[in-house]
Amino acid sequence: MAELWRVSKQARWRWLALFCALTLVATACGGGNDDDDAGGGVAAEATVAPEAPSGDDGDEAPAPSGDDGDEAPAPSTDDGGEEDAGTTEDTAPAPEADDTEAPEAAMEPQYGGTLIVGLEAETTNGLNPVNAQAAVSGHILFRALYDTLTIEGDDGQIVPNLLESFTSNDDFTEWTLTLRPGLMFHDGSPADAAALKRHFEEQAKGTLTGIIVGDWEIQNIEVLDDVSIRMVFGRPYAALPSFLTSHLGYFGAPSMHDLGQEEAARNPIGTGPFMLDEWIPNDATRMVRNPNYWRTDAEGRQLPYLDALEFRPIPDTDARYAALRSGDLDASSVNEGLRVDDYNEEFKTYWQEDRYAETTYLLLNNSRAPFDNVEFRRAIAQCTDRQTYSTLRWDGQVPDNGPFSPGTPGYLEDTGFPGYDPGAGSAAIASLGITNVDLGTTNDPANLLSTELIASMWGDCGLDVNITQVDQAELITNAVIGNFSAFLWRQHEGFGVAPERTWWHSKFGLGIALNFGRINNPAIDAALDEVLTTTDPDRLRELAEDINRAFGESAHYIWFYNSNWLFATYDHVHGVDNLTLADGARHERIFSGRVFLTETWIEQ
């Protein structure tokens, strides 16, 4: 059920009063004091949080954008692009880790126990990756039930996970994928080459996954032996391994697919460390230990350590924080900038590393008036005080000018994105004769506050703004079918530019679309076509920079800030997001908030 709001003058005064109050506090504190210690985030196995600037009162979480995509979180770059958070160079430095924390590696893991985890949303259409619309919360569930075929390495490369190897021919039109031997699904059936062939055949049938698999132009899939297949494409696809870290890489059993997509959504069968015990939508998802899991830890001990997991969807960020504080939860997935100090001081916090950051931004429907007009998009960007938004709703970092975070290939300090100039924006809007716009958001009160703040800024430029609230799953559906004008979103970690093709190329912007903003930009299309033909890092960086400039010039979206994810828990919980990979490889930690709980254990 959607709720419709019209932003009133009282709402604008409410935000003005809050801004003035924060300004006075910041002045009293001498501005942002980088010497203040934000508290005890844990390093290595847990990375340390950025410090909140002085004057942050830790009141509300920022709007989670639509996640994956990922704010109602967008479906994370599902079938390809994943996400990670970082800070700009003007963000306060991270505090030192608490050196009284015993190194996790020195502690002997203990078996047993149930970990209760709070998530920001329910994955309402089920647990079959072929048809699930999963935001970050959904990916946390999937990483417990399934193993991905590949994974993001901490060196910026894609590395094998459930696969033992992947190789291509010279022009990237043929790929050989080889599984690790002896793998089994939860039901005891073999996770072999025949199952892998079936996996891609089923992904091709999915409403959304099929859009991406169709782009591969598969000519043939041949089973070579018990563990290997050869895929032949009708076009070069140099980035294939990047697409196997997410939806397209969650390996489900043929027996699951035999149930049909709807039944499979309630009966997931993967190779992962946990098996589904019970799913009560909007209440709890319970999983139990897979006794035949294939992976061991670095010392050869059988995984997982936990007996069970219980995930509880709590969309209200304040309620989720309160549940963790009260002990109703053992841990919580968190994406907010206003409670950095609170989380660091009260909990053991595992923070995302400062690269490959998701960007929180305003997703604009470029195919629907008035956002189909580039002059209006640039004007509305000029009417949006993004620095004030970052200060009030996140951590005060300098706003982004594009989808690539600092340190990520494609990042530019100046993309040509319009700066804040409400006088020029107002004049342009008046000349266009536009008086009304719509904004959407989720049912999270924090998201409504964030959306109201944007609406008040636009109101100062002479626009009447209508706000509609829906639940997160409906917001994601609206993005897919194009039933929206604008709403907050969170996505685009930039681990590789090629998977962004799904989200930005005009080919994917028609009908049921993954290019949610319905962007149609020839310069972006050309760059995203070329990225499929090369693995040269310098050329990929140049192409990403070309894309960034095109975004700046056309103002397809309004960029806010980089989103740091954290996973908060208590001192008796260890090994969050640890994962033992072959040959000493390491994965990117807390990547877009998508944690592995495979090696998590509870100190009894």
Side-chain angles (χ1 to χ4, degrees):
M1 175 72 70
E3 281 192 81
L4 181 65
W5 295 70
R6 175 160 289 171
V7 176
S8 63
K9 291 183 178 178
Q10 288 81 1
R12 295 181 201 167
W13 280 112
R14 176 156 56 113
W15 276 113
L16 178 60
L18 177 58
F19 177 67
C20 291
L22 287 178
T23 301
L24 288 172
V25 172
T27 301
C29 295
N33 185 351
D34 291 349
D35 294 330
D36 291 343
D37 188 349
V42 196
E45 264 41 69
T47 51
V48 196
E51 178 181 310
S54 295
D56 244 352
D57 61 3
D59 255 356
E60 306 272 357
S65 302
D67 194 289
D68 212 78
D70 326 349
E71 88 87 49
S76 292
T77 62
D78 299 343
D79 319 293
E82 319 261 68
E83 309 105 8
D84 203 356
T87 56
T88 66
E89 57 192 32
D90 289 336
T91 302
E96 293 296 322
D98 182 357
D99 55 14
T100 63
E101 172 75 22
E104 304 232 8
M107 304 180 72
E108 185 78 14
Q110 299 177 25
Y111 286 90
T114 297
L115 189 74
I116 302 174
V117 182
L119 301 178
E120 67 174 1
E122 176 64 276
T123 305
T124 55
N125 62 340
L127 303 173
N128 174 8
V130 172
N131 62 358
Q133 296 174 12
V136 170
S137 297
H139 285 282
I140 293 174
L141 300 177
F142 289 161
R143 287 192 172 201
L145 293 167
Y146 304 93
D147 293 298
T148 56
L149 296 172
T150 62
I151 193 170
E152 300 86 0
D154 69 350
D155 59 356
Q157 302 297 311
I158 301 297
V159 298
N161 187 26
L162 204 57
L163 291 180
E164 188 172 67
S165 66
F166 50 81
T167 57
S168 75
N169 63 354
D170 290 341
D171 68 357
F172 309 109
T173 58
E174 294 185 11
W175 284 89
T176 300
L177 308 180
T178 300
L179 289 161
R180 300 183 187 282
L183 298 173
M184 285 195 307
F185 291 109
H186 295 154
D187 63 356
S189 60
D192 57 11
L196 187 59
K197 181 177 185 289
R198 174 74 181 276
H199 165 78
F200 288 115
E201 291 170 344
E202 294 296 330
Q203 293 282 6
K205 300 175 186 177
T207 302
L208 300 181
T209 57
I211 295 172
I212 299 170
V213 175
D215 192 45
W216 301 350
E217 299 180 8
I218 295 176
Q219 308 296 299
N220 186 42
I221 303 178
E222 179 186 1
V223 174
L224 300 178
D225 54 37
D226 288 346
V227 293
S228 300
I229 65 170
R230 178 185 295 121
M231 303 181 73
V232 180
F233 300 155
R235 64 180 308 162
Y237 230 88
L240 178 68
S242 297
F243 285 83
L244 306 182
T245 65
S246 186
H247 268 68
L248 295 179
Y250 293 125
F251 191 18
S255 56
M256 180 184 78
H257 298 306
D258 289 342
L259 298 173
Q261 288 190 14
E262 186 173 341
E263 278 301 305
R266 301 192 65 86
N267 296 278
I269 304 172
T271 62
F274 296 92
M275 307 180 295
L276 183 67
D277 179 44
E278 182 180 32
W279 176 41
I280 305 173
N282 299 307
D283 182 12
T285 301
R286 299 182 179 91
M287 303 179 190
V288 296
R289 185 177 189 269
N290 175 5
N292 299 311
Y293 189 52
W294 63 276
R295 196 189 305 264
T296 60
D297 69 10
E299 303 301 321
R301 292 177 288 240
Q302 181 65 42
L303 295 170
Y305 302 123
L306 292 169
D307 285 338
L309 293 170
E310 180 175 319
F311 297 99
R312 298 178 184 174
I314 308 175
D316 187 318
T317 52
D318 290 336
R320 196 163 66 253
Y321 174 70
L324 184 61
R325 289 190 71 190
S326 70
D328 288 345
L329 300 175
D330 298 311
S332 179
S333 173
V334 182
N335 181 245
E336 71 168 287
L338 295 180
R339 282 201 175 108
V340 168
D341 288 346
D342 294 338
Y343 275 105
N344 278 346
E345 290 168 2
E346 297 187 43
F347 307 108
K348 183 178 183 178
T349 52
Y350 293 77
W351 282 87
Q352 184 177 18
E353 297 179 13
D354 292 341
R355 55 186 171 185
Y356 310 124
E358 278 187 317
T359 302
T360 290
Y361 61 98
L362 202 63
L363 179 68
L364 308 179
N365 189 339
N366 286 233
S367 69
R368 175 183 286 190
F371 296 107
D372 59 347
N373 185 320
V374 64
E375 187 177 350
F376 178 77
R377 293 198 303 270
R378 290 185 64 85
I380 204 70
Q382 291 175 313
C383 289
T384 308
D385 186 349
R386 297 179 296 128
Q387 184 61 69
T388 293
Y389 182 93
S390 175
T391 299
L392 293 178
R393 304 306 295 145
W394 197 250
D395 63 359
Q397 67 179 258
V398 174
D400 290 327
N401 287 316
F404 301 100
S405 61
T408 301
Y411 172 76
L412 295 168
E413 288 189 10
D414 183 8
T415 64
F417 187 80
Y420 181 53
D421 188 347
S426 296
I429 290 170
S431 70
L432 293 169
I434 297 169
T435 59
N436 295 279
V437 292
D438 296 324
L439 277 173
T441 187
T442 68
N443 291 323
D444 183 350
N447 289 355
L448 176 60
L449 280 171
S450 295
T451 304
E452 283 182 340
L453 176 56
I454 296 167
S456 71
M457 295 174 183
W458 292 2
D460 291 340
C461 278
L463 291 169
D464 288 329
V465 183
N466 296 317
I467 297 176
T468 302
Q469 284 187 279
V470 298
D471 67 33
Q472 186 185 102
E474 185 176 348
L475 191 85
I476 295 172
T477 298
N478 288 343
V480 171
I481 65 177
N483 184 29
F484 74 100
S485 292
F487 46 62
L488 285 162
W489 202 255
R490 183 191 62 221
Q491 201 176 353
H492 311 308
E493 85 295 340
F495 193 89
V497 67
E500 303 295 357
R501 171 181 174 82
T502 303
W503 314 112
W504 298 337
H505 196 290
S506 63
K507 174 179 181 177
F508 300 99
L510 302 173
I512 295 176
L514 293 174
N515 173 357
F516 304 128
R518 276 68 184 169
I519 295 168
N520 189 345
N521 188 311
I524 292 176
D525 285 356
L528 290 172
D529 286 338
E530 187 177 340
V531 299
L532 298 182
T533 67
T534 181
T535 56
D536 178 71
D538 292 333
R539 183 55 183 154
L540 289 172
R541 179 183 296 275
E542 291 170 356
L543 292 168
E545 290 173 354
D546 289 345
I547 291 169
N548 211 355
R549 293 187 189 94
F551 266 112
E553 179 182 351
S554 296
H556 291 298
Y557 299 144
I558 297 176
W559 312 104
F560 287 114
Y561 48 76
N562 303 133
S563 300
N564 280 74
W565 278 93
L566 72 94
F567 193 85
T569 186
Y570 287 93
D571 287 342
H572 63 279
V573 177
H574 305 278
V576 170
D577 209 32
N578 284 3
L579 194 68
T580 301
L581 300 176
D583 303 320
R586 293 175 61 87
H587 71 292
E588 188 70 16
R589 295 303 184 93
I590 321 293
F591 185 71
S592 297
R594 306 172 186 190
V595 297
F596 288 97
L597 300 174
T598 309
E599 299 190 25
T600 300
W601 58 278
I602 297 173
E603 192 174 345
Q604 308 294 327

